[in-house]
Amino acid sequence: MDRVGRGFSGCSGVLSNASGVALPCASWAARHNVSINTGVDAVVTRTRSWQVRAARLVGLPLMTVIVAGCALAAPPIVAPVLSTPSPSATSSPTPTPTISPTPTPPPTATPSATPDPATPTPAPLTPAPTPELSCTERTLASMTEAQRIGQLFMIGLMDDQLDAAERTAIAEFHFGSVAYTRRTARGAVADRVVADAVQAQATLAATRGVRFLVAANQEGGLIQALSGPGFEAMPSALSQGTLAPAVLKANAARWGSELRAAGINLDFAPVADVVPSGTDAQNAPIGQLQREYGHDPATVSSHVAAFIAGMRQAGVATSVKHYPGLGRVAGNTDFTSAVSDTVTTRDDPYLAPFTTAVRAGVPFVMVSLATYVKIDPQHLAAFSPTVIAGMLRHDLGYRGVVISDSLGATAVASIPPGTRAIDFIAAGGDMIIINQLTPAIAMAKAVAFGAAQSALFRARVDNAVLNVLRVKEAQGLLPCG
């Protein structure tokens, strides 16, 4: 039996109960009788195109998925009243009535009592005002469940165009972000036309007016998706690593301005993987392509921070990758299955660039599709509660969006699409990259079914959506932002 829904993580201060009401994590856990060794409800569903099967899992450690997530609530979330509609594209959120405190009646004086003029009369109790919801919270509360789920997906633009099939999928399944999938040299003006066409799909019906993250893989060297007029030829990361960090920051700000002018607001960079000196030729995903900034954690760390700062200056979000590192593997997960790292540990010095990125406020951390034998030999990193909830959320204190490496890659091709999506979100992931529409639709259906069947999983979905919407608010993509 396929094991699905292994754990739920990333609780940022509140989770929703079965009625859709947001609760502080501790209260939520208590009401669900969740302890550090409590099982979770998993998803059971079938369709013709995919199958996800799971049983009730018991004895599963949830300390890193509930306790660690709650400890990292930042910024603190004012518990919003969240409606949880059924997963239908046409359903509307049901407003939840505000419950006002019942005033305590004043005591009735006894006829024989003589008031003491020296005793002050207590002032009547005034109910505390209800804190105003943030733009992110108001946006979430206004969305149908299907619209919320759509925010968890970044679909690929086939041939780097927005075609009829993608328009239909956005309208029907409410997908909220897109990515370029190929190299194109048509130039910034043509890319801007595509990006504007994408943003035009951000209607009330499709995304509740929430605009799209439009992403590209713009690292430099061999990994520069967008080129042509309006784009400077970027040197490889290995060459960038020879620059002073201040120079790299200035260059990144310039490259980011080019992306912004082309309508790109998310760059799948920088690479924080460290490839040991002398092993580039044996490292297919990073070293052979000169994607690393250097061969030691200090050099990579300083240049990762510089790249993030420069792109932020230009208004472009970044995604550091590939946590917890692909610098010491042999195979490339894009084209190879069973890629394994037998060296990296939970407190490995080679994790330092990721720590630097988190401290620099990177909005996205991309998790790899390799297995880390000394960390969690049972799961690929993207499906590992130990990696996402334990290391990334708890150890590093990361509060941004956890994004997958492409869940259409060869490394996960043998896993049913619905299972990939459920396992990633259950482990604490927030946003799924999937270039192909058919598996993307299967994944969205699986997540919708899971959210409808399990209040616990639905709460994890809502928490992931909040993480995504916070980043989108920072990028100016929310209608109330």
Side-chain angles (χ1 to χ4, degrees):
M1 176 172 288
D2 296 322
R3 287 161 53 98
V4 195
R6 299 182 175 90
F8 300 90
S9 68
C11 172
S12 297
V14 293
L15 283 170
S16 301
N17 66 12
S19 302
V21 178
L23 302 170
C25 286
S27 172
W28 174 88
R31 293 189 186 197
H32 287 80
N33 295 318
V34 174
S35 69
I36 62 174
N37 290 309
T38 301
V40 297
D41 289 326
V43 179
V44 183
T45 185
R46 297 168 187 257
T47 71
R48 294 176 61 187
S49 61
W50 52 267
Q51 175 176 301
V52 180
R53 293 166 296 169
R56 185 174 182 82
L57 307 177
V58 295
L60 190 67
L62 290 184
M63 178 165 61
T64 56
V65 295
I66 301 296
V67 178
C70 292
L72 295 173
I77 306 235
V78 176
V81 179
L82 303 179
S83 60
T84 310
S86 62
S88 167
T90 57
S91 60
S92 300
T94 303
T96 306
T98 303
I99 302 175
S100 302
T102 303
T104 304
T108 304
T110 326
S112 60
T114 303
D116 183 356
T119 304
T121 303
L125 296 177
T126 303
T130 303
E132 183 179 353
L133 299 182
S134 69
C135 174
T136 295
E137 293 158 350
R138 295 197 306 275
T139 301
L140 178 70
S142 72
M143 288 176 143
T144 66
E145 188 68 23
Q147 288 171 335
R148 296 178 187 186
I149 290 169
Q151 290 297 314
L152 304 183
F153 289 88
M154 177 172 282
I155 61 171
L157 296 174
M158 291 297 99
D159 297 319
D160 289 345
Q161 299 285 350
L162 180 68
D163 63 20
E166 287 149 3
R167 292 173 190 266
T168 299
I170 289 170
E172 184 175 351
F173 296 98
H174 315 282
F175 296 131
S177 297
V178 302
Y180 287 94
T181 59
R182 300 188 178 186
R183 291 172 61 97
T184 175
R186 65 192 172 198
V189 172
D191 290 330
R192 183 60 187 245
V193 171
V194 175
D196 288 347
V198 169
Q199 298 296 0
Q201 310 308 305
T203 62
L204 285 175
T207 65
R208 199 63 187 178
V210 176
R211 290 189 290 158
F212 290 76
L213 287 165
V214 181
N217 215 5
Q218 204 82 337
E219 299 173 19
L222 295 174
I223 313 298
Q224 180 174 344
L226 307 181
S227 60
F231 293 110
E232 182 180 333
M234 297 171 61
S236 70
L238 194 58
S239 295
Q240 294 174 36
T242 65
L243 302 173
V247 174
L248 178 57
K249 176 183 175 181
N251 289 351
R254 188 172 66 252
W255 301 329
S257 296
E258 296 170 350
L259 290 173
R260 193 75 181 180
I264 311 300
N265 50 29
L266 172 60
D267 187 4
F268 290 141
V271 169
D273 307 327
V274 181
V275 181
S277 182
T279 67
D280 281 13
Q282 291 77 50
N283 180 249
I286 309 300
Q288 289 180 10
L289 303 174
Q290 299 187 344
R291 299 172 72 189
E292 77 274 31
Y293 285 112
H295 297 101
D296 63 274
T299 299
V300 176
S301 294
S302 60
H303 289 73
V304 160
F307 191 93
I308 292 169
M311 284 285 167
R312 180 186 294 121
Q313 184 176 318
V316 175
T318 47
S319 176
V320 70
K321 57 188 183 184
H322 309 79
Y323 191 77
L326 289 177
R328 293 183 285 189
V329 302
N332 187 334
T333 57
D334 289 342
F335 314 112
T336 308
S337 60
V339 175
S340 181
D341 177 318
T342 61
V343 180
T344 302
T345 61
R346 185 161 177 164
D347 58 354
D348 202 287
Y350 276 39
L351 295 175
F354 293 100
T355 302
T356 298
V358 168
R359 290 174 179 169
V362 69
F364 292 83
V365 173
M366 183 182 294
V367 181
S368 88
L369 301 178
T371 300
Y372 296 82
V373 174
K374 291 189 176 181
I375 296 172
D376 182 355
Q378 303 302 317
H379 304 95
L380 303 183
F383 306 139
S384 170
T386 300
V387 170
I388 298 178
M391 295 173 61
L392 192 49
R393 294 294 192 195
H394 178 267
D395 295 356
L396 296 189
Y398 183 59
R399 298 160 179 170
V401 172
V402 177
I403 190 169
S404 72
D405 204 345
S406 174
L407 290 190
T410 300
V412 294
S414 64
I415 304 171
T419 305
R420 298 174 220 167
I422 294 291
D423 282 3
F424 174 69
I425 294 171
D430 300 317
M431 179 175 280
I432 294 168
I433 297 176
I434 179 69
N435 290 339
Q436 304 83 8
L437 270 185
T438 298
I441 290 170
M443 290 176 179
K445 288 179 177 179
V447 174
F449 188 91
Q453 295 299 309
S454 167
L456 186 62
F457 185 71
R458 184 166 62 251
R460 171 77 271 272
V461 167
D462 282 352
N463 180 254
V465 178
L466 274 172
N467 291 338
V468 172
L469 292 179
R470 285 193 197 98
V471 170
K472 285 196 170 187
E473 181 179 7
Q475 291 297 113
L477 300 176
L478 299 191
C480 53

